Each structure stands twice: as C-alpha cells, then as structure tokens.
Amino acid sequence: QVQLVESGGGLVQAGASLTLSCAASGRTFSSFTMGWFRHPPGKDSEFVAAIRRSGGSTDYLDSVKGRFTISRDNAKNTVYLQMNSLKPEDTAVYFCAAGVIPTTTPTTTPSRYAYWGQGTQVTVSS
C-alpha cells in the first residue's frame, strides 16, 4: 500500500516553467521506478517521463525532451518533474506513478505501474 500525492500544478503563460512534485508514503520509495503521465482534455493519456531507482536511467516522451527533466530525492521520498518552455499543448492533468519494473521492460506502459497519484492540473495559456 503506497500513497502518492502530486503538487505544483497551476496556470501559467506559454514559455514559463513549473516544477511538479510527487510525495510518496512508505519506506520502499527507492526501490520503485517513478513515472509521470498526463491526460490532456479530450485525448488519451500518454507517458511523459520516468526514472528508475536511484542510479538508474531516465526516459522521456519525444515532445518534451530538452524541456522537461525528471529527478528524484530518495531521502525525501519525492520525485520531481521540472518543466521549462511550456506550451499550450502541455495542458493536462499530470499523474505520478510508482512501480517495480524490470530492467528489461520499458518504463512507458501504464499497466506496469501499481500505484498512482490523484493528479495535478497544469494549464498553459497562449
């Protein structure tokens, strides 16, 4: 049983930056791969970014590469998504997720994550 709580969303102008945080309960945070997904209005959910356990690799959606950075602080049981140069098409509800994902398995599939946060709204105006 793990609880994830996102924060940091808001309304910003195109070109601005936001940092999302996801605080996790439990004492096994460092063993999880952590991911960010988003659900734009009227569209399907999509993978955004993921980071494997401490010392592991990161993965990004092509459209956010060079703009978004995922990181984690295991001492604080928190994962972050630093978002720069935001665009209107980034508008969505952003969810963080946690799961144990084998190193041979991609991090991009939602079904691989066992735990999900409630989501935080990010709105980017033009």
Side-chain angles (χ1 to χ4, degrees):
Q1 190 73 27
V2 175
Q3 291 182 311
L4 305 174
V5 181
E6 302 96 334
S7 62
L11 172 63
V12 299
Q13 190 175 20
S17 297
L18 278 176
T19 298
L20 305 183
S21 299
C22 175
S25 66
R27 304 177 68 180
T28 59
F29 176 81
S30 62
S31 69
F32 290 120
T33 293
M34 301 297 299
W36 287 96
F37 294 78
R38 66 187 184 186
H39 188 182
K43 299 182 182 297
D44 292 335
S45 296
E46 63 184 352
F47 167 83
V48 177
I51 183 168
R52 294 187 183 271
R53 61 180 180 172
S54 183
S57 61
T58 58
D59 299 299
Y60 294 95
L61 177 68
D62 283 344
S63 64
V64 309
K65 287 180 179 177
R67 298 191 297 122
F68 291 11
T69 302
I70 187 171
S71 62
R72 65 194 299 162
D73 186 338
N74 289 341
K76 298 175 67 175
N77 288 352
T78 302
V79 63
Y80 304 94
L81 186 67
Q82 173 67 47
M83 305 184 293
N84 298 324
S85 302
L86 283 163
K87 305 174 180 179
E89 52 263 44
D90 294 318
T91 295
V93 177
Y94 284 70
F95 298 88
C96 71
V100 177
I101 303 178
T103 57
T104 56
T105 302
T107 61
T108 57
T109 304
S111 63
R112 307 301 304 209
Y113 294 84
Y115 306 102
W116 294 81
Q118 83 289 348
T120 186
Q121 177 70 47
V122 172
T123 302
V124 184
S125 63
S126 60

